Amino acid sequence: MTRKEALVVVERDEPVSATWNRVLLARANDRPTAWDYVQRVCTNFIELHGDRSFRDDPSILAGLASFEGRSVAIVAHFKGKSFKDRVQRNFGMAHPEGYRKALRVMRLAERFGLPIISLIDTPGAYPGIEAEERGQVEAIARNIQEMFEIAVPIVVTIIGEGGSGGALALGVGDKVLMMENSIYSVISPEACAAILWNDPAMSADAAASLHLTAQHLRTLAIVDEIIPEPEGGAQKDLSKMSQALKASLLKAFEEIDAIPREELLARRYAKFHEMVRFRLLS
Amino acid sequence: MKEKKRTGWLEKNGNDDRGPGTGSDPGEGEKKIRIPEGLWIKCNHCRQIVYRKEVDRSGKVCPKCNYHFPITLDERLEQLADPGTFEEFAAEVVSSDPLHFSDSQRYVDRLRSAQKKTGLDDAIRVGECSIMSIPSVLGVFSFHFMGGSMGSVVGEKVVRAADKALEKRRPLILVTASGGARMQEGIFSLMQMARTSAAVGSLKKAGLPYLTVLTDPTFGGVTASFAMLGDVIIAEPRALIGFAGPRVIEQTIRQQLPEGFQRAEFLLEHGFVDMIVARKHLKETLGQLLCHLGARRNSGTLCQGSQTG
């Protein structure tokens, strides 16, 4: 199929090239990381390490911080800054112990009544021998399930790449926000193109077909709010971007605070329960 | 082989040639998976010529090497549900192609051809039945329907199965075989991981047993959600089970994978499944587990602590 034909069958509001540009922006080396935002949005950040079982996974950043006059817990994928740092942090691709660290800190937050800020930025969970040996599937499944049970407000923000199950493992919450040029997808466009088109050159078309942009996902009611980025992307004006993130987080927490606490988990369940599309045969 | 590459992501990435048990021949449909006609057949694994009736009698297992031939969804139902007790529900839930997805072929056309090939509407059937006289809710995957991939329909049926188990206070048993998420439904297939994990979580709170049986192959979004959340997790011998397909891992780490990697035995050794159960003992084992976990028989009596399963 040619690109033109693809455009006809997939209704969309922007050309394939614009979607692909967002994919590139979301992944760019100079895109601000979770750590950039934590430093600017919060104060008194104290990093907590380790899953208490195997090791500390530097792909995941977790800790406690002050946010607008209250203490919160932070869980985030952290891709790293310099090349060396990025390698050490495995480009934000967590092993099971990373997800387990995040879960441990979220459970800690719950015990002390702290709201949770989750920042998502990962190509996906790491596909490696050790990851499989240590139960990548179990760690992801457990996080997803338990995030429905953690009885404190959770605000999830996709700040860059939301790569499949590895993203969802930190991705269940009462509000899901997305930065304008971030992406969230069940599979990378490259892998999707390789499998379905049998042609990696079709990645841009795959990206568009997957509806992975914030705009698409807002339309599909997966995302509650799009956080606008400065002209040219978040990296162009980090302080402005951080202010926008802070304002959106604040608004999200205010809205969640209005929900009676005993209804919080039922509403979270109901929110995700709606994320399905099928038809019924009569 | 072309068709194989175009269904779930596992086939492309996961089904390597490291031996038998890596899923059934993709060229064969649900209806067509027949061990070839005739009195004698050749085992896919040990290559020995074995007596067909003997294979059939043991639930399609090779009597020489214990290789588990792939079986269809309906054969599985037949093996697990007490005769005549399976009553399907949620059969009216069908795909709506939410993203109007089209690649080299339209998603609706892929669905249609999978339906024609398998005689199924989607990659799972769920229903009420008795297992060893214990009223249960049972869901069984078909790998032959687009690689057993999970989109909205599969997700919804799993959720409805959990809801039914809650409503009727019955145990839930899910038998998986899946390449992972159905990428043609994009974010909706990813969200089925969340919906299903949450739904089976409700059983935990209600004190109802939830058992999973992982068959060859179970990968990706299905493994990384409800499949790994069973109170007891059973795997079939030699089943390939994991997150990323072997080929993806090989491409990532650029080295060969060790023998037996991601097999059921590997998961047992690493502590991620409770037990490996041969097909001929599966029903009986499920019955015994359900009894231990406080399920009731059709008669309403508890079978906890009883002698027979």
Side-chain angles (χ1 to χ4, degrees):
Chain A
M1 173 182 299
T2 67
R3 187 163 287 191
K4 208 168 176 186
E5 283 166 332
L7 271 169
V8 177
V9 286
V10 184
E11 302 158 36
R12 51 178 158 254
D13 49 5
E14 63 181 18
V16 166
S17 59
T19 297
W20 188 244
N21 193 40
R22 292 187 199 278
V23 174
L24 298 178
L25 272 173
R27 294 170 171 174
N29 280 346
D30 60 351
R31 186 157 178 94
T33 65
W35 177 231
D36 291 311
Y37 294 124
V38 168
Q39 285 174 296
R40 286 164 183 81
V41 167
C42 300
T43 53
N44 301 329
F45 178 73
I46 298 172
E47 187 172 1
L48 301 176
H49 293 276
D51 69 339
R52 297 294 187 272
S53 172
F54 185 70
R55 66 154 196 158
D56 183 50
D57 185 345
S59 307
I60 299 280
L61 179 73
L64 305 174
S66 305
F67 174 74
E68 294 294 296
R70 58 171 143 185
S71 288
V72 297
I74 309 278
V75 292
H77 300 98
F78 186 18
K79 286 183 170 175
K81 297 297 287 181
S82 67
F83 181 73
K84 200 179 153 198
D85 190 27
R86 292 166 78 84
V87 169
Q88 198 244 336
R89 296 185 187 278
N90 204 25
F91 305 93
M93 292 182 284
H95 281 74
E97 53 273 19
Y99 302 117
R100 290 176 184 137
K101 169 169 73 173
L103 183 59
R104 182 179 72 84
V105 171
M106 289 191 281
R107 284 295 191 190
L108 176 73
E110 184 190 31
R111 268 181 27 233
F112 292 92
L114 311 180
I116 296 165
I117 296 173
S118 170
L119 303 177
I120 292 190
D121 189 17
T122 180
Y126 187 65
I129 293 184
E130 296 83 4
E132 297 281 337
E133 280 175 345
R134 298 201 286 272
Q136 192 70 291
V137 278
E138 191 274 346
I140 293 170
R142 185 154 311 283
N143 273 34
I144 294 170
Q145 187 174 64
E146 297 206 11
M147 284 184 88
F148 281 100
E149 298 165 1
I150 291 172
V152 289
I154 303 176
V155 176
V156 174
T157 309
I158 297 127
I159 61 169
E161 273 185 283
S164 201
L168 192 59
L170 300 186
V172 177
D174 307 296
K175 292 276 177 190
V176 179
L177 319 178
M178 209 168 157
M179 288 188 183
E180 188 184 344
N181 293 310
S182 56
I183 57 172
Y184 194 9
S185 180
V186 67
I187 187 166
S188 75
E190 289 84 353
C192 182
I195 298 167
L196 290 183
W197 277 264
N198 224 345
D199 179 5
M202 295 300 279
S203 298
D205 296 76
S209 300
L210 284 165
H211 288 58
L212 47 60
T213 65
Q215 292 71 18
H216 278 136
L217 297 172
R218 177 74 197 91
T219 310
L220 298 173
I222 302 295
V223 164
D224 296 297
E225 191 195 317
I226 300 173
I227 308 175
E229 294 189 17
E231 188 72 35
Q235 78 287 354
K236 294 282 185 194
D237 191 341
L238 179 55
S239 88
K240 198 172 163 192
M241 188 70 245
S242 303
Q243 279 166 22
L245 172 62
K246 190 176 195 170
S248 293
L249 289 173
L250 204 56
K251 179 168 156 257
F253 278 124
E254 273 168 17
E255 285 169 13
I256 300 167
D257 285 342
I259 301 170
R261 199 49 77 91
E262 64 277 10
E263 284 178 27
L264 187 67
L265 296 184
R267 292 241 205 144
R268 192 181 299 161
Y269 185 96
K271 173 186 175 61
F272 280 81
H273 191 74
E274 292 299 308
M275 297 178 185
V276 66
R277 295 288 184 277
F278 55 82
R279 79 200 154 78
L280 294 175
L281 289 175
S282 44
Chain B
M1 290 303 280
K2 267 260 152 57
E3 185 57 34
K4 174 183 177 181
K5 286 185 179 175
R6 296 173 184 277
T7 52
W9 57 262
L10 173 76
E11 297 94 330
K12 171 83 175 184
N13 303 319
N15 263 355
D16 62 5
D17 297 311
R18 289 187 294 120
T22 55
S24 56
D25 185 334
E28 296 177 328
E30 187 78 28
K31 284 174 180 166
K32 294 184 208 148
I33 310 168
R34 289 268 183 275
I35 293 173
E37 295 301 317
L39 279 173
W40 302 91
I41 58 160
K42 192 170 169 185
C43 172
N44 293 342
H45 182 38
C46 65
R47 302 278 160 202
Q48 296 209 55
I49 306 293
V50 289
Y51 191 44
R52 196 166 77 96
K53 272 193 180 154
E54 210 176 333
V55 171
D56 285 345
R57 255 203 309 273
S58 53
K60 302 260 160 81
V61 174
C62 172
K64 303 274 186 206
C65 72
N66 197 33
Y67 168 72
H68 284 51
F69 286 88
I71 57 173
T72 67
L73 190 157
D74 287 341
E75 284 170 330
R76 179 75 66 182
L77 286 178
E78 226 167 88
Q79 289 182 11
L80 295 183
D82 294 343
T85 64
F86 186 79
E87 279 181 46
E88 187 171 5
F89 58 82
E92 69 279 14
V93 177
V94 295
S95 178
S96 65
D97 184 15
L99 303 184
H100 306 292
F101 200 97
S102 185
D103 43 81
S104 51
Q105 202 184 325
R106 293 194 309 164
Y107 175 40
V108 287
D109 293 335
R110 287 189 195 277
L111 276 170
R112 211 168 291 140
S113 75
Q115 284 160 350
K116 215 172 139 196
K117 188 180 86 168
T118 61
L120 299 167
D121 289 323
D122 213 297
I124 190 176
R125 286 177 75 193
V126 294
E128 295 178 71
C129 69
S130 294
I131 296 174
M132 302 293 283
S133 302
I134 298 165
S136 307
V137 175
L138 174 65
V140 177
F141 273 76
S142 167
F143 187 72
H144 310 102
F145 192 102
M146 297 188 73
S149 55
M150 175 163 71
S152 289
V153 173
V154 170
E156 179 66 13
K157 288 191 181 192
V158 170
V159 169
R160 289 190 183 199
D163 289 348
K164 181 74 80 181
L166 268 181
E167 176 202 326
K168 300 240 169 147
R169 294 211 52 85
R170 291 177 169 200
L172 173 64
I173 297 101
L174 294 176
V175 183
T176 64
S178 174
R182 187 169 302 167
M183 56 198 142
Q184 291 92 340
E185 294 192 21
I187 199 76
F188 290 111
S189 50
L190 184 66
M191 290 306 142
Q192 300 321 303
M193 294 172 67
R195 298 177 78 242
T196 54
S197 299
V200 299
S202 316
L203 297 184
K204 204 166 63 173
K205 276 163 256 166
L208 296 166
Y210 166 49
L211 311 183
T212 54
V213 181
L214 315 185
T215 74
D216 188 55
T218 300
F219 273 88
V222 166
T223 334
S225 62
F226 62 88
M228 286 309 288
L229 294 169
D231 294 314
V232 176
I233 304 175
I234 296 172
E236 277 208 320
R238 288 184 63 78
L240 270 178
I241 300 158
F243 175 64
R247 202 161 295 174
V248 170
I249 299 176
E250 277 181 342
Q251 280 165 2
T252 308
I253 63 172
R254 296 184 192 285
Q255 64 189 71
Q256 280 233 316
L257 294 171
E259 175 63 30
F261 183 68
Q262 293 183 322
R263 296 267 177 215
E265 295 74 12
F266 172 93
L267 272 89
L268 182 72
E269 188 189 328
H270 286 87
F272 291 101
V273 301
D274 286 282
M275 57 204 299
I276 294 172
V277 178
R279 203 173 276 162
K280 66 177 172 196
H281 298 305
L282 183 57
K283 180 174 181 175
E284 184 194 334
T285 306
L286 288 172
Q288 282 169 354
L289 284 167
L290 293 176
C291 279
H292 283 313
L293 297 177
R296 285 171 189 276
R297 290 193 199 279
N298 285 324
S299 55
T301 54
L302 276 167
C303 46
Q304 231 163 9
S306 67
Q307 285 295 308
T308 52

